Structure formats: structure tokens, C-alpha cells
Amino acid sequence: MPDVFADLVGQDDAVDTLRRAAASAAAVLRGAAAAHAAATAGPVDPDDADALAAEAEAEAAEGAGGADPGAGMTHAWIFTGPPGSGRSVAARAFAAALQCLRGTGCGECQGCHTTLAGTHADVRLVVPEGLSIGVGEMRALVLRAASTPSGGRWQVVIVEDADRLTEAAGNALLKAVEEPPPRTVFLLCAPSTHPDDVSVTIRSRCRVVPLRQPAPEAVAEVLVRRGVAPEVARWAAAAAQGHVGRARRLAGDPEARSRRDAVLAVPRRLTGVGAAFDAASALIEAAEAEAEAAVVESDAAERAALQTALGAGGTGRGAAGAMRGAAGQLKELERRQKSRATRAQRDALDRALVDLAGFYRDALTMALRAPVAPVHTDTAALAEAGAQRWAAEGALRRLEAVLECRAAIEANVKPRIAVEAMMLTLWKG
Ligand SMILES: [Zn+2]
């Protein structure tokens, strides 16, 4: 049985760090347990009890630093790396190792299982649904994180996309990280430790675990282990450009594949100004449709749940006041759902742009006769034709147009405007 770190492909340094930290965390717990046992064991020689406690403490200290200060356990961590490198996979694996009954992240015990399944009582996961994580959500979380772990090990809080914290939420988190409850561990995920992503003060309290973009071979290996045919795995890993989750979807989801095909058909379709605007519309609408499909079910379920909770249709005394409160809550829900839909749209559009960038990158490397494998093996012939027509400079201009479009959307330029500008450059060069 592979342990909890098995899916962290191509991240040997990070896995090494996390294994050692988990071992030292386990030693801290053993030390505390031994000290407790010694203190409550009844009529023992006080010297013996002291010796036991001292031994436990020494063991904990050894694990928590000692000769190698890098080995230690600490209460706040930041996992950084490009999207798809496995930041949240790493954070979850580490959480499992902390909750592992064997203290190693064995992958077999109840602690490992429930953590990875997302049902462990002492592991809280914050996944931002909208464009940012609000202060209310963060305060509630910090409050709950301060409670004693029910399983007797650690209270773990994982914040995915910590770069999407609002400033106020970041401050709430900072307070908790500055004065951590003794058994609470914060695991933050962010693209980088740049001040735009994580505030300098939070950064200064955390240990950083940098992850790199895994090589396609490593990603393919994971897919094969999960039962994907080697041929498909290699294709998906290359097409996903080091993004593990994306590779998994491409290998297993026909809809994801056909969306990618539609995106990669764009360069072929750019035959004039009208075609460029049409392509822009098609790309935006595809992203909207994909996002809509992703959120429609949860939107409806949330709305129904809220209406049930509010007892829609109540009458009698107090009903008017209750209705006013209900309207407020519905409005709040709609605001959250809208924010989530916008995020889903941007994410879908960004995935399309990354695919498109891969195509022009292929054309560029072919024009330069660079000895690297193409990202998209299935459109390699088309990229080669582009390379001959545009030469390296033309391919580079087009690649830059795609990257500029991504940056513009990230900087809040209206997606349609950014995509139209990009399409015109992709057509004219
Ligand atoms: Zn375990």
C-alpha cells in the first residue's frame, strides 16, 4: 500500500521535509503522552517520573530540531508552487501524516483514511469558492481551530489558495498564526511567497515548502498507477504541461478532451478579422458554459437548503421580520454564488489559454529547431506548419499575446476585451 505521499510526484525534497516533520510531530505527541503518563501513574518514585518526562522531552526535542534544525515540526506552513504542482495534495498528505495513528502517514490507518477522504474531525479545509476568502469565514475557522483536537493529535487547518484571502481575512489568520494554540497546525497553499500572494508578516511566521512543476514522465507515472493506459497517460501528461489534476481530467473525462480540441482548433480558424472575433466569442462562451455546468448543481442545492432552513412560506407573528432576514440571507447566498461563478469562468478561460499557449510554444520551439518534445502531440503537424509560416519571431509574438491575455484577465481587464485583442494578434502576428 503506497503511503500518503505517493501522489507527490517529482517532489523528493518536499516529501523528505514533510516526512521528517511528521516524525518529529509524532515524537512531540509521544513525549506529551509519556509525560502525562508519568505524572498520573500514581505512586511512583518522583525521580522516575522526572526521568521519564525528561526522556520524552529529549526525544521530542531530538525530533523537533536538535542536530538538524530543518527536521522540526512547526505550527505554520506554506506550500508554494505553480498551479497543478500539487500544493493542496501536499498539504492534505501532510495533514494525513500528522493524524496518522502510526505517525508516518502510512496510508492505511483510520487517521490517514479519514484525512484523505476529507472526513477527519480535526482537519478543516478552506477552499475559496469565490474570488476571495472573506473575513467571516476566516474568523469562524480560526475560532474552531483553537479547540482541543478531538482525536488527541493535531487540529489542522488547510487554506487552499491562501493568495485569495481578503486583507481582513489575512489579518484574522495572522493573529492565529502569531499566537497559535499549542496543538494547531496551519497549512497554507499559495503560488509563491511574493507579497502579492502572501503577506510578509504571515510569510515570516511560516515554514515554506516549495514544490516544482513535475516532469511529464512523473505525471504519466501517477496516471498509470491509477489504471490509465500508458499511451493515454503519456499524452495527457504532456498536454497538461505538468498540471497533475488537469492531466487526470484529460485522461478520464471525454468532455475535458473535447473542450481542449475546440481550443486547439482556434489557430486553424483565424482567417480574418471576423473569424478572430468569432473565435473570441466562442472561447468566452465555452468558458461560460463550462463554468455554468460546474456550479449549477451546487447553486440549486444551496438555494433549496437555505429555503428549507428558512421555512419558506411561514405566516403569523414574526413572519414579516423573519422574511426580511431571509431575504438578506438569500441575497448573501446569491452574492457568494455569483462570485463563485466568476471564479469558475476565469479558471475555465485560463485553462483554455494555457492550452493555446502550449500550441504557440510548440510552434516556437519547432521554428527554433529546439530539441524538446511538443506539448500537444496531436497538433504537432499544425504547429510545424505555423512555424514555417511565422518563423520564430512570429511564433513568439503569438505566444506573448496569449500570455499577455492571461495577465490582463488576472489584472481584471474584461475577459472579452482581452481575448479579442489576443485573437487579433494571433491572426495578424
Ligand atoms: Zn496512517
Side-chain angles (χ1 to χ4, degrees):
M1 174 79 194
D3 74 6
V4 294
F5 296 110
D7 274 356
L8 277 172
V9 284
Q11 312 287 0
D12 296 350
D13 290 349
V15 169
D16 199 45
T17 302
L18 296 176
R19 278 190 203 286
R20 280 185 294 160
S24 99
V28 170
L29 293 181
R30 276 200 304 278
H36 181 73
T40 55
V44 278
D45 186 330
D47 286 346
D48 279 358
D50 282 352
L52 252 179
E55 194 183 312
E57 235 166 69
E59 191 186 357
E62 194 185 316
D68 180 4
M73 177 55 191
T74 184
H75 63 271
W77 299 71
I78 300 181
F79 297 82
T80 63
S85 56
R87 298 179 305 231
S88 64
V89 176
R92 279 171 222 236
F94 185 44
L98 291 176
Q99 305 295 10
C100 175
L101 302 178
R102 298 190 177 106
T104 58
C106 66
E108 290 171 336
C109 71
Q110 177 82 357
C112 285
H113 265 298
T114 51
T115 304
L116 293 181
T119 55
H120 196 293
D122 295 331
V123 179
R124 320 215 174 281
L125 178 67
V126 188
V127 185
E129 294 186 326
L131 293 174
S132 58
I133 305 172
V135 63
E137 194 178 349
M138 186 49 67
R139 282 214 186 104
L141 190 88
V142 162
L143 206 65
R144 279 162 73 190
S147 60
T148 311
S150 61
R153 297 186 69 85
W154 305 93
Q155 192 69 261
V156 182
V157 178
I158 303 174
V159 183
E160 270 189 20
D161 301 306
D163 53 309
R164 292 179 187 175
L165 291 172
T166 60
E167 198 186 332
N171 288 338
L173 176 64
L174 176 62
K175 242 185 232 144
V177 171
E178 275 179 336
E179 290 161 35
R183 285 289 182 82
T184 302
V185 184
F186 289 93
L187 308 179
L188 315 180
C189 306
S192 75
T193 53
H194 189 278
D196 281 353
D197 288 339
V198 180
S199 79
V200 175
T201 34
I202 289 185
R203 157 75 190 84
S204 71
R205 304 281 170 167
C206 293
R207 193 152 159 215
V208 178
V209 180
L211 301 168
R212 14 171 195 271
Q213 184 148 311
E217 299 77 45
V219 176
E221 203 185 297
V222 179
L223 296 184
V224 170
R225 217 172 44 224
R226 295 187 168 216
V228 176
E231 192 114 322
V232 178
R234 272 196 300 276
W235 165 80
Q241 304 177 62
H243 193 303
V244 184
R246 172 88 176 132
R248 205 174 289 158
R249 264 192 304 280
L250 282 176
D253 178 359
E255 273 180 41
R257 277 206 290 272
S258 68
R259 276 195 295 267
R260 171 181 170 277
D261 289 346
V263 168
L264 290 178
V266 163
R268 217 178 351 213
R269 290 171 48 192
L270 295 174
T271 51
V273 181
F277 280 104
D278 286 350
S281 287
L283 201 65
I284 299 277
E285 278 151 27
E288 282 170 0
E290 185 185 341
E292 167 88 23
V295 299
V296 67
E297 230 169 90
S298 48
D299 278 6
E302 282 171 2
R303 184 168 260 282
L306 181 60
Q307 270 162 349
T308 310
L310 295 174
T315 52
R317 280 175 70 146
M323 282 310 288
R324 275 197 298 281
Q329 288 190 46
L330 265 174
K331 219 166 147 193
E332 166 63 19
L333 178 67
E334 272 162 16
R335 190 194 58 73
R336 267 210 333 264
Q337 292 183 337
K338 191 157 175 274
S339 173
R340 179 170 62 193
T342 308
R343 179 86 248 164
Q345 252 176 52
R346 286 200 193 176
D347 287 349
L349 190 55
D350 198 58
R351 270 194 294 281
L353 293 173
V354 168
D355 282 345
L356 212 49
F359 173 83
Y360 291 104
R361 172 239 184 235
D362 285 350
L364 177 63
T365 56
M366 286 168 186
L368 294 170
R369 300 274 157 246
V372 292
V375 169
H376 302 301
T377 46
D378 40 358
T379 53
L382 196 65
E384 177 66 52
Q388 291 188 5
R389 203 155 4 110
W390 307 322
E393 303 89 274
L396 180 61
R397 271 198 303 279
R398 288 170 172 84
L399 175 57
E400 280 175 346
V402 181
L403 301 179
E404 273 163 23
C405 179
R406 285 186 76 193
I409 292 171
E410 193 55 46
N412 275 325
V413 172
K414 221 166 174 273
R416 183 173 290 274
I417 291 171
V419 170
E420 283 174 352
M422 173 191 78
M423 289 295 184
L424 286 173
T425 305
L426 294 184
W427 166 54
K428 286 189 299 195

